Amino acid sequence: MADNNYEPSAEARAGRPFPVSWDQFHRDCRALTWRLNEVGPFHAIVAITRGGLVPAAIVARELGIRIIDTVCIASYDHTSQGDLQVLKGVFPDVAKLGGGTGKGLLIVDDLVDTGATGRMVRQLLPDAHFAAVYAKPKGKPLVDTFITEVSQDTWIHFPWDTALSYQPPIRP
């Protein structure tokens, strides 16, 4: 009997795989940092967890930023997107650095996809500078700085979600 309630995962709906190696991701994060260096200085970084943790660490190192906070928002369960849930907001001492509106703060994420998470963070810190390594068309208007735009139907396989394995050729 067929399941009429079946809904394909976000990954299956995306369709186009875009694997990113650790080397490529590091290069893209450094390229993002070069752009951000022209925009700053920044008082602190707010990483959107979990995807923003790795790029935030690289950006913080390159820009010499020592204050790093997180805003923890859950929207994905590996391959399916659900309702947004703020698990942890910005620490009050960090929010004060941005005058309560985020001015002089840098928000970092790995990817802006539909823009739902970005809109929520923009509500928390409307004057912060929002940077993402990768951007899809629906989320692109929310970010101030990004490196690579990918199509909305692309699924990025980040290096922390993958393992080395044989891949068959596209055309055998």
Side-chain angles (χ1 to χ4, degrees):
M1 183 160 118
D3 181 2
N4 293 332
N5 294 323
Y6 171 76
E7 184 175 329
S9 68
E11 180 179 11
R13 287 191 311 271
R16 293 182 177 186
F18 183 72
V20 178
S21 69
W22 281 109
D23 288 344
Q24 183 62 52
F25 191 72
H26 190 255
R27 281 191 298 272
D28 291 343
C29 289
R30 292 208 51 200
L32 180 65
T33 302
W34 279 101
R35 289 187 183 168
L36 293 170
N37 190 46
E38 302 298 319
V39 178
F42 300 103
H43 305 299
I45 291 176
V46 177
I48 298 176
T49 68
R50 292 178 309 222
L53 290 169
V54 174
I58 294 167
V59 169
R61 177 192 182 273
E62 296 297 325
L63 295 180
I65 298 172
R66 298 285 183 168
I67 300 172
I68 304 169
D69 194 7
T70 59
V71 60
C72 305
I73 299 175
S75 64
Y76 277 94
D77 178 10
H78 181 61
T79 58
S80 61
Q81 189 169 19
D83 293 333
L84 294 179
Q85 182 181 5
V86 177
L87 304 174
K88 178 201 158 293
V90 178
F91 189 65
D93 288 351
V94 173
K96 273 195 289 187
L97 292 173
T101 65
K103 187 160 181 65
L105 299 182
L106 174 61
I107 299 167
V108 176
D109 206 356
D110 58 349
L111 165 70
V112 60
D113 190 332
T114 64
T117 301
R119 277 188 287 283
M120 183 169 276
V121 174
R122 281 274 189 214
Q123 289 175 359
L124 298 172
L125 301 167
D127 295 329
H129 189 91
F130 189 179
V133 183
Y134 305 107
K136 292 185 179 183
K138 287 183 181 177
K140 184 177 147 185
L142 291 163
V143 294
D144 300 304
T145 305
F146 68 94
I147 291 302
T148 303
E149 182 175 356
V150 297
S151 64
Q152 200 66 44
D153 66 344
T154 296
W155 186 268
I156 299 175
H157 294 274
F158 288 100
W160 49 86
D161 289 329
T162 61
L164 295 177
S165 65
Y166 171 77
Q167 296 296 311
I170 293 171
R171 185 178 285 177

